[in-house]
Amino acid sequence: MTLKTTAEVCGMGHSMKRKEDPRFIRGQGHYVDDIKLPGMVHLDIVRSPYAHAKIIAIHTDKALAIPGVLAVITGKTLEQFNLHWMPTLMSDTQMVLPVEKVMYQAQEVAAVIATDRYVAADGVEAVEVEYEPLPVVVDPFKALEPGAPVLRTDKPGKQDNHIFHWEAGDRAGTDRAFAEADVKVKQDIYIPRIHVASIETCGCVADFDRAMGHLTVYMTTQAPHAIRTVFALVAGHVGLSEEKIRIISPDIGGGFGGKVPVYPGYVIAVAASVVLGKPVKWSEDRMENLQADSFARDYHITAELAARRDGTMTALRIKTLADHGYTDAAANPSKFPAGLFSICTGSYDLKHAFTEVDAAYTNKPPGGIAYRCSFRVTEAVHAIERITDVLAQELRMDPAELRLKNFIQPDQFPYHSALGWEYDSGNYPAALALAMKTIGYDELRREQAEKRRRGELMGIGISSFTEIVGAGPSKQFDILGIKMFDSAELRVHPTGKVIARFGTKSQGQGHETTYAQIVAEELGIPAAHVQVEEGDTDTAPYGLGTYASRSTPTSGAACAVAARKIREKARKIAAYLLEASEEDLEWETGKFFVKGAPQKAKTIQEIAFAAYTNHPPGMEAGLEAVDYYDPPNLTFPFGSYICVVDVDRGTGAVKIRRFLAVDDCGNIINPMIVDGQIHGGLTMGMAPALLEEISYDENGNISGGSFMDYLVPTAMETPAWETAKTVTPSPHHPFGAKGVGESATVGAPPAIANAVVDALAHLGVRHIDIPITPEKVWDILKANGVAE
């Protein structure tokens, strides 16, 4: 059967009326979307209504007849330049525009270039596409069954939908430990697809200068240098070599991992600018963003935990199937196709563990975004913290007592986990003890027992997680072969002011404050006199960008090391100025002075001026340094969260009454920024636990493709978060920091899930997949005869 559709008929249209509808307002950011360049034209995209279909024909005549429409680009157009496919960050391939078939609903099919964004939208509606529907596969288990339709027919010799198999640990030893165990528990856990839903959607302005052969792209990317390299790899054969490409990432209205990849819209805009010689702007609307990019999770996990009767955990075994959609576009380090999922032993001293992950192609958009989590750590933490509570329930043991019994102890660090990681430092018992004392754990348990006798439903959930951040050591971590170091360049001007440039890119984490404070601490130059710059590949040193909580552990470390290089040169200049030997000088923040004669001193500002006017003979002038920091190990922040919920028997609604987050991110640079990161992360962790989910029916039709049915938390649903800290410095980091930006989104979901299950445990409930919606809870209450 052949069907002819237009974008308007398919519900993918962008008519003027729909653009004025507040439900379809574009990203709301005052960033890339506000850029206006002389002669700029606009790009809008035709999207597929089908999850899997052969393209019979694309009719563009009606669109090209609209005044103001300059061009319509299809896969056939890009194929002429071999630009219709591009590499993903995991060395797979991804369509820019399809030539033969579409692979998921809302996939880009064609692009319309016009003088005005609304004219471009009218052009999109006028493009007619003829499709022949093909069999749809949205279940990854069915995708791996013998005889399932092979989706990636573009791969020569590909005869199945299997992407990779990855494993870690000792399979045989773990199997023996399970065979010898007194108690074994097993739980299937599904973590559904969710979306980053950042305030600003993805967008770019591509500006190709024909005279200079130079491309400038303003874009919403978290990793400007990596994107420039990818562009050069994709388009170098048509003359866009890396030195002729400039990526500028201005203010970004949220990233959370969703703005690390290269999306087709970016490449199409660049291609259009090169062909037309005009600046081309592309900016998604909200539905395009929710339906076609930035997907996370979609992990089907089977977790098993073995223990002795006294509660001592002896072995962990996890088997996972990952749904990556039609291509593996995850942004994981190359050697870790399943990310850092092998942190799944968590905070526990497990002697035996084995985990394996398989990935499958399905007719869904590319998945695998590390949404505010360090490469699949959220999934790992959810698995271990949920199965730990399942074991506690099986043993009829308090979940706090079980955790305290099995924690890695402070004197065991550096700790070598059964799955191959070397944890740098930690004090897990102290964090949980502080959380229990602060929230009044014993009193809450007594209150719960009293309420249960009255028929009221109250639950207490714990999540004692270990994170793994700071990617990464170059011996293990790279993306597309690029080592995951990061960088800082510091230049002290003659008047003692500093410009500091970094390879990272802030999306609201407060880099401008944090980095300036590091400089101030290391050099004694006031933070107000430090100008921080990021996001411009023509000025910033090469870096891998901001994600996976790596800014302070990597670029922050680079900043400290670069500052110390400057301080060493400053020592030589100070010795010259003070007519003393370097060994006779002592450093006090902001100045060098002669030992025993503190009045004989030179401030860093005086030294800076001398570096340009009166430096020692033979010394190179200037006072600046660059450092590319290659960490010796990752850092391992951790925390213990306790959540208290009340469940309404009449509606199934879950209310978070209290939530206490105790975090340990090593030494803290700015407490206010850390608390802000935690508060935001807790809200984003609550979202998938109770609200957010992207799902698909058997035909690949998306549910959750607009803010009408994809529920993000507002201030009304967000409780008053409580926070506390312990401090366990990282022994290998230059100033003992570990990173915190993603801890809350990692630790919060299992704490909330554990609390809801705890509220219903006396009814025989052992597990509920997130999001734990009122409907799910109501069905359980009704089935047990306790619903009101």
Side-chain angles (χ1 to χ4, degrees):
M1 178 177 64
T2 300
L3 300 176
K4 181 182 289 188
T5 63
T6 67
E8 185 175 25
V9 171
C10 300
M12 299 289 174
H14 305 271
S15 68
M16 181 72 74
K17 179 179 179 181
R18 290 187 65 183
K19 283 185 180 290
E20 293 173 345
D21 188 326
R23 292 173 297 172
F24 299 90
I25 290 175
R26 292 178 183 266
Q28 301 292 326
H30 303 289
Y31 308 96
V32 164
D33 203 41
D34 282 353
I35 292 174
K36 295 178 176 65
L37 300 178
M40 187 172 70
V41 297
H42 296 265
L43 166 67
D44 211 340
I45 294 176
V46 178
R47 296 182 180 270
S48 170
Y50 299 106
H52 196 201
K54 182 178 180 181
I55 297 175
I56 305 300
I58 300 177
H59 302 284
T60 63
D61 293 348
K62 293 181 180 178
L64 290 169
I66 296 174
V69 171
L70 304 178
V72 179
I73 297 174
T74 67
K76 293 286 188 183
T77 312
L78 298 180
E79 187 180 27
Q80 301 173 46
F81 306 97
N82 195 29
L83 293 174
H84 56 306
W85 287 87
M86 64 180 178
T88 71
L89 295 179
M90 282 306 293
S91 301
D92 202 346
T93 52
Q94 177 178 348
M95 296 180 198
V96 177
L97 286 175
V99 173
E100 297 178 350
K101 63 178 181 177
V102 295
M103 298 295 289
Y104 61 90
Q105 190 181 63
Q107 182 179 353
E108 300 86 348
V109 177
V112 176
I113 316 296
T115 55
D116 180 272
R117 70 193 308 171
Y118 300 115
V119 174
D122 292 339
V124 164
E125 291 180 1
V127 173
E128 294 182 345
V129 186
E130 293 184 55
Y131 298 93
E132 182 178 315
L134 298 172
V136 175
V137 182
V138 294
D139 184 329
F141 292 97
K142 293 181 179 179
L144 296 182
E145 290 178 353
V150 178
L151 300 183
R152 292 301 299 271
T153 54
D154 59 284
K155 292 178 174 289
K158 186 67 175 170
Q159 298 180 355
D160 57 30
N161 296 312
H162 189 253
I163 303 176
F164 66 76
H165 174 82
W166 174 86
E167 60 186 50
D170 178 6
R171 185 193 294 266
T174 301
D175 289 346
R176 285 194 298 272
F178 266 88
E180 297 167 359
D182 298 329
V183 180
K184 291 169 279 192
V185 291
K186 182 177 181 178
Q187 184 62 55
D188 290 331
I189 301 168
Y190 176 54
I191 305 178
R193 279 197 171 211
I194 58 173
H195 196 281
V196 305
S198 49
I199 292 174
E200 181 189 22
T201 58
C202 293
C204 70
V205 178
D207 184 11
F208 181 69
D209 185 329
R210 283 180 171 174
M212 301 298 294
H214 189 274
L215 173 69
T216 300
V217 185
Y218 303 84
M219 63 189 304
T220 54
T221 178
Q222 298 172 232
H225 286 94
I227 295 295
R228 184 185 65 184
T229 300
V230 171
F231 276 6
L233 292 172
V234 171
H237 66 283
V238 295
L240 283 178
S241 55
E242 195 161 4
E243 81 282 5
K244 295 182 178 180
I245 302 172
R246 181 184 187 185
I247 306 296
I248 300 174
S249 185
D251 288 339
I252 301 178
F256 314 118
K259 290 172 182 170
V260 174
V262 178
Y263 293 112
Y266 298 149
V267 179
I268 299 167
V270 169
S273 183
V274 171
V275 171
L276 297 174
K278 296 176 178 291
V280 177
K281 176 184 281 191
W282 168 67
S283 183
E284 296 176 305
D285 67 24
R286 181 58 62 185
M287 289 182 67
E288 290 171 329
N289 181 256
L290 285 171
Q291 293 174 8
D293 60 44
S294 304
F295 294 95
R297 319 296 188 249
D298 219 341
Y299 256 35
H300 298 261
I301 300 170
T302 299
E304 299 176 84
L305 191 55
R308 293 197 285 267
R309 294 196 187 281
D310 67 355
T312 302
M313 299 178 185
T314 57
L316 174 72
R317 187 165 56 198
I318 294 182
K319 185 176 179 62
T320 296
L321 180 57
D323 186 338
H324 277 258
Y326 96 95
T327 186
D328 186 2
N332 291 326
S334 300
K335 296 177 183 177
F336 298 90
L340 309 186
F341 187 74
S342 51
I343 194 68
C344 59
T345 53
S347 306
Y348 309 109
D349 187 17
L350 284 153
K351 304 303 182 186
H352 301 280
F354 178 76
T355 184
E356 57 185 323
V357 181
D358 288 271
Y361 291 125
T362 62
N363 287 123
K364 296 178 184 176
I369 296 296
Y371 170 19
R372 202 166 182 178
C373 108
S374 187
F375 311 121
R376 298 293 193 176
V377 173
T378 298
E379 293 91 323
V381 167
H382 198 80
I384 185 62
E385 289 305 293
R386 274 274 55 243
I387 196 65
T388 297
D389 261 36
V390 171
L391 177 63
Q393 194 171 339
E394 178 74 16
L395 294 170
R396 299 183 182 278
M397 192 172 182
D398 185 278
E401 180 187 352
L402 179 63
R403 285 171 168 82
L404 289 166
K405 184 177 184 65
N406 288 283
F407 277 152
I408 302 162
Q409 296 302 304
D411 60 2
Q412 291 179 267
F413 290 93
Y415 175 81
H416 294 268
S417 79
L419 293 178
W421 298 110
E422 183 185 287
Y423 294 18
D424 55 355
S425 63
N427 191 338
Y428 305 146
L432 181 54
L434 177 60
M436 294 172 68
K437 179 181 179 181
T438 303
I439 205 166
Y441 185 80
D442 293 338
E443 293 85 348
L444 287 170
R445 283 296 179 196
R446 287 192 288 270
E447 180 189 353
Q448 181 188 36
E450 294 171 5
K451 286 194 169 187
R452 190 165 287 175
R453 284 191 290 270
R454 298 197 300 266
E456 298 176 39
L457 302 175
M458 170 186 166
I460 306 164
I462 300 174
S463 173
S464 290
F465 63 92
T466 292
E467 255 264 58
I468 177 172
V469 305
S474 63
K475 61 186 177 183
Q476 296 172 308
F477 289 83
D478 71 273
I479 290 181
L480 288 178
I482 306 168
K483 301 300 185 181
M484 294 186 71
F485 55 82
D486 230 290
S487 56
E489 175 190 292
L490 305 183
R491 184 173 300 162
V492 185
H493 301 310
T495 55
K497 310 303 189 292
V498 178
I499 184 165
R501 293 176 170 137
F502 298 86
T504 48
K505 176 54 195 169
S506 176
Q507 308 109 57
Q509 295 93 331
H511 287 182
E512 298 87 347
T513 300
T514 300
Y515 291 155
Q517 286 188 257
I518 295 171
V519 174
E521 180 68 22
E522 294 289 340
L523 294 180
I525 295 173
H529 294 168
V530 180
Q531 175 68 38
V532 173
E533 290 185 5
E534 300 176 289
D536 187 337
T537 58
D538 270 12
T539 59
Y542 198 104
L544 271 292
T546 297
Y547 44 87
S549 289
R550 62 189 305 274
S551 296
T552 298
T554 52
S555 267
C559 180
V561 173
R564 291 172 191 180
K565 291 178 182 178
I566 287 174
R567 203 164 70 208
E568 284 308 302
K569 184 174 182 179
R571 177 186 293 273
K572 296 179 185 298
I573 297 173
Y576 173 72
L577 296 175
L578 293 167
E579 299 180 339
S581 70
E582 294 178 43
E583 293 74 18
D584 288 337
L585 297 185
E586 290 194 2
W587 170 257
E588 179 182 288
T589 303
K591 66 179 180 180
F592 282 102
F593 64 90
V594 177
K595 295 177 183 177
Q599 73 279 5
K600 294 186 65 176
K602 290 294 179 181
T603 67
I604 190 68
Q605 287 80 8
E606 291 172 317
I607 295 168
F609 194 74
Y612 295 89
T613 62
N614 188 26
H615 51 81
M619 175 183 282
E620 188 177 64
L623 196 57
E624 57 187 65
V626 178
D627 187 73
Y628 285 78
Y629 182 73
D630 185 359
N633 189 13
L634 297 111
T635 61
F636 294 78
F638 60 92
S640 278
Y641 293 176
I642 299 180
C643 175
V644 183
V645 302
D646 295 307
V647 177
D648 190 317
R649 288 170 52 189
T651 63
V654 174
K655 180 180 180 181
I656 298 176
R657 189 206 312 174
R658 291 188 69 186
F659 193 111
L660 171 66
V662 174
D663 279 281
D664 193 315
C665 56
N667 287 332
I668 294 171
I669 300 168
N670 187 302
M672 183 180 294
I673 285 179
V674 168
D675 280 346
Q677 288 282 290
I678 293 170
H679 277 242
L682 290 171
T683 302
M684 295 178 81
M686 176 188 73
L690 299 177
L691 300 169
E692 296 182 3
E693 179 179 15
I694 298 280
S695 61
Y696 299 82
D697 68 16
E698 61 183 8
N699 294 315
N701 296 310
I702 190 171
S703 174
S706 77
F707 278 160
M708 295 294 288
D709 48 11
Y710 189 73
L711 306 178
V712 295
T714 70
M716 294 296 292
E717 292 81 31
T718 304
W721 307 114
E722 303 170 57
T723 62
K725 310 287 186 302
T726 60
V727 177
T728 311
S730 172
H732 62 77
H733 189 272
F735 51 87
K738 290 190 172 187
V740 74
E742 294 162 333
S743 291
T745 50
V746 166
I752 296 168
N754 286 344
V756 178
V757 171
D758 183 62
L760 306 176
H762 63 294
L763 303 177
V765 176
R766 194 166 83 163
H767 175 74
I768 308 172
D769 280 331
I770 59 173
I772 303 177
T773 61
E775 181 182 14
K776 288 182 182 178
V777 176
W778 168 256
D779 287 343
I780 293 170
L781 298 177
K782 186 176 180 181
N784 285 274
V786 295
E788 290 183 345

